[in-house]
Amino acid sequence: MPKELIFALEDETHIQQLIKYNLEANGYHVVTFESGEALLKEYKNTIPDLFILDIMLPGIDGLEVCRQLRSDMRSKNVPIIMLTAKSEEFDKVLGLELGADDYMTKPFSVRELVARVKAIFRRVNSSISTEMDIIKYGDITIDCTRREVYKGEKLLEMPLKEFELLKLLILNKGKVLSRELLLEKIWGFDYYGETRTVDVHVRYLRQKIEDDDSNPQYIETIRGIGYKFNDKESK
Ligand code: CA
């Protein structure tokens, strides 16, 4: 079985080695880069299965790398984990907005990073063969096999977490899902308390799937609780 390939961008040598050693001990193949420029050059030849991007770098920063990877058809659906320093709360939110799937705050435990990587691959692999392959609702079509979402004929750019969130909401349409439940299902229990993550992702989903995101027809906010995907069609 081929090993999953991970590109890890980190300029601090000891962290870089720690990431490589521990992920390789868990069966992944890791290629490390010290600069965003080097990574962007290499991925023209090879697309990995996952990117780990540090934000603070000497040249172009990890957010810019993330932006470029997300704007390229070949890498736009490849999961990204961002590494942020504690003081970079702003970068964390920006990273998620740019399409990162997950983030870890430094200093982080390597075991935790390995767990997050495993969780991402579990989700990617499980979305290939489980449940329905095509989900349609209104003018929204979700192709679970290809991990693509269309509004009408238009293919939407959709990072992994947004995709999983939309899928969960649409499969449970008509039911109110609490922020805590969404966090647990999509991000894992270790995100407990960070419910703003859910709100950020819902905001970006609305901008993509709603005709008017200030007057959402698909994803309804249930004040103080969470969100509900409208099942108006079934009434
Ligand atoms: Ca750094």
Side-chain angles (χ1 to χ4, degrees), residues 95-210:
L96 292 173
E97 291 178 357
L98 283 171
D101 297 281
D102 206 345
Y103 63 86
M104 298 209 60
T105 307
K106 289 183 184 178
F108 56 84
S109 100
V110 180
R111 276 180 59 183
E112 172 90 23
L113 177 67
V114 172
R116 299 279 183 94
V117 168
K118 282 183 181 169
I120 282 185
F121 283 132
R122 246 194 332 266
R123 278 194 294 268
V124 170
N125 294 334
S126 71
S127 68
I128 288 169
S129 59
T130 56
E131 302 148 37
M132 289 175 278
D133 286 343
I134 306 276
I135 305 167
K136 273 179 187 277
Y137 189 80
D139 63 350
I140 305 297
T141 306
I142 304 180
D143 184 333
C144 296
T145 311
R146 304 172 67 115
R147 216 157 67 73
E148 287 175 347
V149 180
Y150 293 84
K151 181 172 174 64
E153 298 290 304
K154 190 185 165 213
L155 176 64
L156 303 176
E157 197 174 306
M158 188 132 324
L160 182 63
K161 287 284 159 72
E162 279 175 37
F163 178 84
E164 295 292 336
L165 181 61
L166 177 62
K167 196 168 107 178
L168 188 63
L169 284 166
I170 219 165
L171 285 173
N172 292 283
K173 61 178 185 283
K175 289 185 206 156
V176 178
L177 304 180
S178 71
R179 288 185 174 79
E180 286 75 17
L181 179 113
L182 293 169
L183 260 185
E184 191 198 313
K185 294 278 180 210
I186 311 286
W187 284 270
F189 65 91
D190 45 327
Y191 274 78
Y192 180 77
E194 302 224 22
T195 49
R196 179 164 149 58
T197 304
V198 177
D199 301 331
V200 168
H201 281 75
V202 166
R203 192 164 84 233
Y204 281 86
L205 264 182
R206 278 178 173 153
Q207 288 175 359
K208 292 171 190 177
I209 68 168
E210 300 284 358

Side-chain angles (χ1 to χ4, degrees), residues 10-12 54 56-57 106:
E10 169 60 74
D11 59 315
E12 286 163 75
D54 183 27
M56 291 287 283
L57 297 161
K106 289 183 184 178

